[in-house]
Structure formats: C-alpha cells, structure tokens
Amino acid sequence: EAEIIAQAGQRGLVTLATNIAGRGVDIILGGTSPSDKLGRPANKGQEFEKWQKNHKEVVKLGGLHVVGTERHEARRIDNQLRGRSGRQGDPGSSRFYVSLEDDIMRLFGGEQIAKIMTAFKLPEDTPIEHGMVSKAIENAQVKVESHNFDIRKHLVEYDDVANKQREIIYGIRKEILHAAKGQDSAKKLRDDIKNKIYAEIENIIAAYSVENISKKDFEQIVKEISTIIPFDQNSQEKLLQDIKKIGATEKLSSFLKDLADKIYQERETVLGQNTLADIEKFASLSVIDTLWMSHLDSLDNLREGIGLRAAGQRDPLVEYKQEAFNIFDKLMASIDYEIVHRIFKIQVQTQPTIEKIEESGVEIHEEPKLTPDNQQSTQPTSHPASPAGGPTTQPSGQDPMEMTDEELDAEIARLEAMEKSSQSTVNSSPSNAVNPYTSVGNQPLKVTKIGRNDPCPCKAINPQTKKPYKYKKCGMINAPYHKG
C-alpha cells in the first residue's frame, strides 16, 4: 500500500486510499524520484530528466488535490490529509464532502440544516457551501474531542489508583532486593521480620485475653503460636504449662517474644547468617509476588462492576478508590501474616561434602535417602569430630577377604561402638539445654540404616561370585575396592 500511495503524485493518476494516506508515506509530485543501485537519489541521467519534466508539469497544473469523503471526529486526522497536498511548499488543494446523514452531522446540528433545505425546497443533491456549515462541523469536532478527552482522563484516574499501589509494592520489593547487597540492609530486613513476628504474637494474645484467660484460651494460644513456630507435641505441652504459670498478659507477651527471638537466633546459628538472609529474601519476595498478582485480579473484578454504583446516586470513581484502598489495606496485612507464618517453616537441604564427612568419622553413601520427620526437608546436621584424645572410627588395614567371620564381626562391632559414641557426644551438646522447646524444623534427620548383609550401595562387584559385595565386607570397613 505504501508503494501505491507514493505514486499518487503522478500526472492524471487517481488513488483511492483510507486514512493510511495521512502519514508515513512521502508523496512526491511527478512520482517517486529515480535512484541509483545503492538507493541514493540520482541527480542526472535520462530517468532524472524525465522525472524532472513530469514534476514541473504537475506543479504547473496545481499539484496534488486531496478529496475527502467525510470529516473525521478528530481535526488532527483532517489536517494530516490536507497536509499531503502541501508537501515542502509544493502547490496543492483539498476539498471535503460531508453528508447530512454522517454521524458527526447527525449528532451535532444536521437536523437544522436539513430543515432549511426542506423549507427552501432544495434538491437533495444540491451542494451547500457556507462558512456557517464549516464552523458547525468544527464545533462538532471540538465537542467530540472534548468527550474523548474526558473518557481518557477518567481512565487515567482509575489507573492511577493501581499505579500508586504498585509504587508502594515495588518500593518494598526494591528494599528487599537491596538487602542482599549489604549487612546493614540485611539487618534492617531481619529486624523488620522480627517486628512482624512480635506484632503477630501481640495480636494472638489480644484475641484471647479480654479479661481472664481460661484454660481453653491458653490451649488456643499455644495452637496459634505453633502455626508460626512448628513446635512438636512435647514442646507444645511444655509451652502450655509455662504460659499457665505466667498468666499476666504483659509477661506472657514478653515471654513469647523472647522465645521466638531465641529460636530465630538458633536458626541463624544452625543455618548461617548468609543462608538465613537468603531465606528471608525468598520468603518475602514469594509472598509479595503471589499476593500482588491476586490483588491485581481483585482490582480488575472490582472495576468491572463498580459502574453499577451510579444507579445508587454514587460516584463510581470515588467508590472505586475507597474499595481499592480497603483491599490494599488487607493485602498489606496478608503479606505480613504470610511472611510470619512461613519464615520458621522454610528449611534448607544441602548435600554434605565428602571432606566434612570424613573428618567426622561417619561413612555416608549415595544410595541411602535422608528422610526428615513429618515429611519436612531440613538441613542435615553434620556430627562433630571426636574430641581430642577420643576414639575415632578408622578402617582396618587388613583385607576383609582374608578375615575370618569372627574377626569380621569383631571389626563391625568396634565400628558400631565408635559411631554410637560420636552420636552420644552430639546429643549431649549444651545447645539442647539452652532451649527446652524443640521446633520440628530443627529436629535432626533420620538416616535409613543399611543392614550388614545388604548389598553395598557402591555396587562394587565381587569378581568371584559376579555379585555385589555385602555391605559388611565393603563399605562398612572401607575396603580397598569400595567405590565410596
């Protein structure tokens, strides 16, 4: 279409086009000027002389003449079409034809002109040319443009509500993302999460401590606290006994806040400061993104039906702003609630390195799967090495194929004794004595035990029997042919 419209400046050529002719295509009198092989304009040659001759003839005849079959609602469109006939000072003219049955004339003053033609008994095909008609059309266009402007302005006011809320949410997300770049920002994010935890604890206590707290209220408080910190059953019973002894609301709030802070510090010690910072960032961003998308859907649903408020003599825009504010207020409260109820439940599962396992004296294989309690993934706690001077599990240097059954059983019994000794050292660590409450997320992992007569997980093949070695003759004593 662009190539066809570009040739509209040739002599005697009539080109029918839509509003696409108004912009984007250069109409040159006499047709498109010739160019060389590289696409550059040619200033000499027979083709150039021929084009120059045609150009002068078209200019002499008056240039390009634009004929419009209707007037557009926007004056801008009409002016663009008129401008095609006056390219860079070239001569040209334009004329528009309007019917009294066109929308713009029918809505704005067309009936009055029709009455005049009927009164004077003028034929329907009689053209009317008068400044009053042109002015009436321009006034109609001004009214339509004002109406469209009001529609766009109204639309922007609706969008501005969501835009202001978007700025707040994106500002929060930006602060969380910057928290990973420095210690001060990370500390600020951690303090903010702790304050949210404290506020949630105060809300729980305030909900059940109107006057006197009954036994049922104490149990309900423990259940609510357990939704934040995943205590096991024994810890919940211990917590219930302790808060019954406290009784007073202020002391109870202070006690639960200190307990939450202590468990949070334990998580930081176990997971590490950097890992906990990643958990905080992940929990905050995932909650904000999920709830924000749901909030946008709610705003869209609200906007679809808010126009019905006009039937009750209420301004839909004012009603929309009020409802959107209430929904956004609930969104901010839901974000804090979800972060508080997720931060203690997110666990990290890491694969321990072989070096750390060998230092601890415990043999770990690839096949046994770590199965945490209650189907929750937690970080595996590496057992510390035996204290100085203590026994360690060192494999025997003797070939297990040359050992008798009695010697092999004795070696296995010695290894099991050493492993139990190392586990008892871990269980007697002072960290368990500090906090009597055990969070489910902080419980140690249970490792599926391999039977001594089971095939070794390394799947080393016995060349004599063509079958895998038994675990007691391979991985348990760290035999030379063991692939672990």
Side-chain angles (χ1 to χ4, degrees):
E1 294 182 15
E3 294 178 356
I4 296 174
I5 296 174
Q7 302 296 331
Q10 295 182 7
R11 179 180 177 180
L13 186 62
V14 177
T15 303
L16 299 177
T18 59
N19 288 338
I20 192 175
R23 57 188 301 175
V25 181
D26 191 13
I27 301 177
I28 303 175
L29 298 182
T32 305
S33 59
S35 58
D36 56 11
K37 295 181 180 180
L38 298 178
R40 296 174 298 185
N43 297 327
K44 55 184 179 178
Q46 295 181 357
E47 293 184 1
F48 176 75
E49 293 177 356
K50 182 180 179 181
W51 172 83
Q52 193 173 24
K53 181 180 179 181
N54 295 334
H55 176 72
K56 291 180 180 180
E57 290 180 357
V58 175
V59 171
K60 186 177 179 180
L61 292 173
L64 182 66
H65 183 69
V66 176
V67 178
T69 58
E70 64 177 348
R71 293 290 290 269
H72 199 271
E73 291 181 352
R75 290 172 294 173
R76 175 180 57 85
I77 304 297
D78 294 341
N79 293 334
Q80 285 179 350
L81 292 174
R82 288 192 183 100
R84 304 323 301 269
S85 62
R87 172 188 174 272
Q88 297 183 0
D90 290 340
S93 59
S94 63
R95 177 178 291 270
F96 283 81
Y97 293 89
V98 181
S99 172
L100 294 178
E101 297 178 356
D102 288 346
D103 292 338
I104 193 170
M105 293 300 297
R106 182 172 51 84
L107 296 176
F108 300 98
E111 296 179 356
Q112 297 178 359
I113 300 176
K115 289 179 181 179
I116 294 174
M117 294 183 65
T118 303
F120 287 98
K121 297 181 180 181
L122 297 176
E124 292 185 358
D125 57 350
T126 301
I128 300 176
E129 295 186 40
H130 197 275
M132 184 180 66
V133 178
S134 299
K135 190 174 182 180
I137 294 174
E138 289 182 0
N139 292 334
Q141 289 178 324
V142 171
K143 293 180 181 179
V144 173
E145 290 174 357
S146 300
H147 178 68
N148 293 335
F149 175 77
D150 292 337
I151 293 176
R152 292 193 298 270
K153 182 181 178 181
H154 205 58
L155 184 64
V156 170
E157 290 177 349
Y158 276 97
D159 292 339
D160 190 55
V161 176
N163 187 42
K164 291 180 179 179
Q165 296 180 2
R166 185 180 293 106
E167 291 177 356
I168 297 174
I169 294 296
Y170 282 14
I172 297 174
R173 292 187 83 260
K174 188 175 182 180
E175 292 179 358
I176 295 174
L177 292 174
H178 282 295
K181 297 182 180 180
Q183 295 294 335
D184 296 337
S185 300
K187 186 176 182 301
K188 182 180 179 181
L189 176 60
R190 188 160 303 166
D191 294 339
D192 184 50
I193 292 178
K194 287 184 179 180
N195 292 332
K196 293 177 181 178
I197 296 174
Y198 300 156
E200 185 65 24
I201 291 175
E202 291 178 356
N203 293 335
I204 293 174
I205 296 176
Y208 297 97
S209 60
V210 180
E211 295 180 356
N212 296 325
I213 305 178
S214 61
K215 179 180 178 181
K216 186 176 181 181
D217 293 335
F218 281 120
E219 295 177 353
Q220 195 65 30
I221 289 175
V222 173
K223 290 181 180 180
E224 294 291 341
I225 295 297
S226 298
T227 59
I228 301 175
I229 306 173
F231 289 121
D232 56 13
Q233 188 64 30
N234 295 332
S235 298
Q236 293 182 22
E237 296 176 358
K238 178 69 169 57
L239 180 60
L240 179 60
Q241 297 175 0
D242 290 343
I243 64 175
K244 285 181 179 179
K245 297 178 183 178
I246 297 174
T249 303
E250 296 180 356
K251 293 182 179 179
L252 180 60
S253 176
S254 177
F255 170 76
L256 293 177
K257 289 179 183 178
D258 293 339
L259 177 61
D261 186 64
K262 186 182 297 184
I263 295 178
Y264 205 88
Q265 291 178 358
E266 288 182 1
R267 283 176 59 83
E268 183 177 358
T269 304
V270 174
L271 300 176
Q273 187 174 3
N274 295 333
T275 304
L276 185 59
D278 293 338
I279 292 177
E280 293 169 347
K281 184 178 73 172
F282 168 76
S284 302
L285 292 178
S286 61
V287 169
I288 291 175
D289 293 345
T290 302
L291 295 182
W292 173 245
M293 289 187 292
S294 178
H295 176 72
L296 292 179
D297 294 336
S298 300
L299 290 181
D300 291 339
N301 296 333
L302 175 64
R303 187 169 175 177
E304 290 180 358
I306 201 65
L308 299 176
R309 302 288 180 94
Q313 303 300 322
R314 296 181 180 180
D315 187 358
L317 179 60
V318 176
E319 294 292 321
Y320 178 77
K321 290 181 178 179
Q322 293 178 354
E323 294 290 342
F325 176 78
N326 295 334
I327 295 176
F328 185 73
D329 195 20
K330 294 179 181 179
L331 169 68
M332 300 302 294
S334 299
I335 289 175
D336 295 344
Y337 179 85
E338 288 295 330
I339 291 176
V340 170
H341 285 75
R342 286 189 187 185
I343 194 66
F344 284 99
K345 299 175 183 178
I346 298 178
Q347 302 297 330
V348 179
Q349 183 178 7
T350 59
Q351 188 69 24
T353 59
I354 299 177
E355 291 78 7
K356 291 184 179 180
I357 297 173
E358 291 179 349
E359 290 177 0
S360 63
V362 179
E363 193 73 32
I364 300 295
H365 303 277
E366 296 180 357
E367 288 294 327
K369 301 296 182 181
L370 301 180
T371 306
D373 290 342
N374 298 334
Q375 299 299 325
Q376 293 186 4
S377 59
T378 58
Q379 181 185 17
T381 304
S382 59
H383 300 287
S386 299
T392 58
T393 57
Q394 299 291 338
S396 175
Q398 187 176 1
D399 189 355
M401 298 301 296
E402 300 177 357
M403 297 173 63
T404 62
D405 293 339
E406 292 77 7
E407 294 176 346
L408 189 58
D409 292 339
E411 180 67 18
I412 293 173
R414 186 182 70 84
L415 293 175
E416 291 179 348
M418 295 299 102
E419 184 175 357
K420 291 180 180 179
S421 176
S422 63
Q423 291 179 355
S424 62
T425 304
V426 173
N427 293 333
S428 62
S429 60
S431 60
N432 293 333
V434 176
N435 183 16
Y437 308 100
T438 303
S439 173
V440 176
N442 294 332
Q443 291 182 358
L445 295 174
K446 292 184 178 180
V447 180
T448 305
K449 187 176 180 180
I450 304 175
R452 63 176 65 186
N453 291 322
D454 294 338
C456 185
C458 74
K459 300 180 180 180
I461 303 299
N462 188 343
Q464 297 179 358
T465 60
K466 305 298 182 181
K467 295 181 180 180
Y469 284 103
K470 293 184 178 180
Y471 181 61
K472 65 181 180 181
K473 292 186 178 182
C474 184
M476 181 174 286
I477 58 176
N478 198 14
Y481 44 80
H482 178 56
K483 298 181 181 180

